[in-house]
Amino acid sequence: MEIQDSTIPDISKRQIDILDPIKFGFSRTFKNAGFWIPFALLNMVIMLIGFGISFYQLFSSFQETMLIEDSAPSIPISTIFVYIITIIIIAVLGVMTSRQSIRDVSSVKTDNTTIIEGQTPAGWSTLGKDIAWGKIIATGVLVGLIAGLLGGGLGGVLGLIVPSVDSGESVNAGLILIFSLLTIMVYIAIFAISLLIGYAPYFATDPETNTHLSPIDCIKSSYEVVKDNFWKVLGFNIILAIITSILVILTAGIGMLIMIPMSSLAQAYMFRSLAGLYVPVQE
């Protein structure tokens, strides 16, 4: 699978630093705090309200069911409706967040503050602009299908093995060990594939790439740019996850106001670095 030169520039000479995206994420979050902090707060409020209502209704329904003898638990239709609506809104905000992050990465100079002439940084006035909804949705669906089919297929194979292990027929320590190793390998394979195609939605979101790529091309492009930098991308995501976990735990969740935009900006920076596009660093 090759990417056309006109779409993805040569990145063979670009050094991918796993800390640069994180540094940029923190820096730009605070330098554009007038947009990013309130926008992160909006995301948090919607999640708290939507999921709060859903789980409250579900908990209330289960409590009522427990008081009725021989009554089976049921999920209220209203709970399902609120949950689905919340997921849709969060998904829409997620796309907007990615687009705004790409906008910020591509619009500032190396001081992460000065705006490049002709570019527009992330802000409320640009929140819903220049978003290729159709291509982004199609790419996201394809990524989900690939991950789902992979997980389902490998999970099905394991499902055929589990009964024989549980039945105790001809079971020995060697068979249990093989099954355990196979299970671990399956999860590693699913994670690796998810990482390889994880930047496909970014290719579908960034105007510098989405005009040249179909949803399938976005997936191929993600695979191509990640495979040669797989361990760096893995390390970057691990460090990002550790920082996020520590900050959120130490601040009792308030740190999400910083980590929501910081993580998105860092991912957008990493994507553009991998794709050979402009990022605000000294070459």
Side-chain angles (χ1 to χ4, degrees):
M1 288 180 287
E2 298 182 354
I3 306 172
Q4 295 180 356
D5 293 339
S6 60
T7 303
I8 307 300
D10 180 19
I11 60 171
S12 59
K13 297 181 180 180
R14 170 174 286 188
Q15 292 291 337
I16 304 298
D17 190 309
I18 63 176
L19 294 180
D20 282 347
I22 296 173
K23 293 175 184 176
F24 174 82
F26 276 116
S27 174
R28 190 57 189 163
T29 294
F30 290 108
K31 290 183 177 181
N32 194 11
F35 168 74
W36 283 117
I37 301 302
F39 185 62
L41 180 60
L42 173 64
N43 278 263
M44 291 177 64
V45 169
I46 290 176
M47 285 190 287
L48 287 173
I49 292 176
F51 292 134
I53 293 174
S54 298
F55 287 112
Y56 174 77
Q57 291 177 335
L58 186 61
F59 180 72
S60 298
S61 175
F62 281 174
Q63 276 191 318
E64 294 174 1
T65 301
M66 292 174 63
L67 297 175
I68 302 175
E69 189 176 351
D70 297 329
S71 179
S74 62
I75 301 177
I77 298 298
S78 58
T79 298
I80 299 175
F81 177 77
V82 172
Y83 184 81
I84 292 174
I85 293 299
T86 302
I87 292 296
I88 292 174
I89 294 175
I90 291 174
V92 170
L93 288 174
V95 172
M96 291 181 175
T97 302
S98 296
R99 179 66 188 95
Q100 291 293 75
S101 297
I102 290 172
R103 195 186 301 277
D104 250 11
V105 175
S106 60
S107 67
V108 295
K109 295 185 178 181
T110 54
D111 59 1
N112 297 339
T113 303
T114 306
I115 307 302
I116 298 173
E117 185 177 355
Q119 298 293 326
T120 305
W124 295 104
S125 62
T126 59
L127 191 58
K129 292 184 177 180
D130 303 324
I131 299 178
W133 289 105
K135 187 167 291 185
I136 294 170
I137 292 172
T139 302
V141 169
L142 284 175
V143 170
L145 286 174
I146 291 172
L149 289 173
L150 177 65
L154 295 177
V157 173
L158 289 177
L160 295 175
I161 302 174
V162 171
S164 63
V165 174
D166 289 340
S167 66
E169 297 176 1
S170 302
V171 177
N172 54 47
L175 181 60
I176 294 175
L177 177 61
I178 292 174
F179 172 73
S180 300
L181 292 175
L182 182 60
T183 302
I184 294 173
M185 290 175 61
V186 166
Y187 281 109
I188 291 175
I190 294 173
F191 176 78
I193 293 297
S194 298
L195 200 63
L196 285 166
I197 64 177
Y199 286 104
Y202 285 88
F203 278 100
T205 302
D206 196 319
E208 293 186 47
T209 55
N210 65 15
T211 56
H212 304 89
L213 301 172
S214 68
I216 294 177
D217 290 331
C218 289
I219 294 173
K220 291 180 179 179
S221 297
S222 178
Y223 174 83
E224 289 291 339
V225 299
V226 173
K227 68 181 177 72
D228 292 332
N229 295 279
F230 181 83
W231 297 111
K232 289 185 178 181
V233 174
L234 176 61
F236 158 71
N237 279 280
I238 290 175
I239 293 173
L240 186 60
I242 292 173
I243 293 174
T244 299
S245 300
I246 293 174
L247 185 58
V248 171
I249 291 173
L250 292 179
T251 61
I254 298 176
M256 289 297 292
L257 286 173
I258 296 173
M259 295 314 300
I260 288 176
M262 177 272 178
S263 298
S264 182
L265 285 162
Q267 290 288 2
Y269 187 107
M270 176 57 82
F271 152 70
R272 288 182 63 87
S273 295
L274 292 168
L277 303 174
Y278 168 81
V279 291
V281 293
Q282 296 291 339
E283 297 290 352

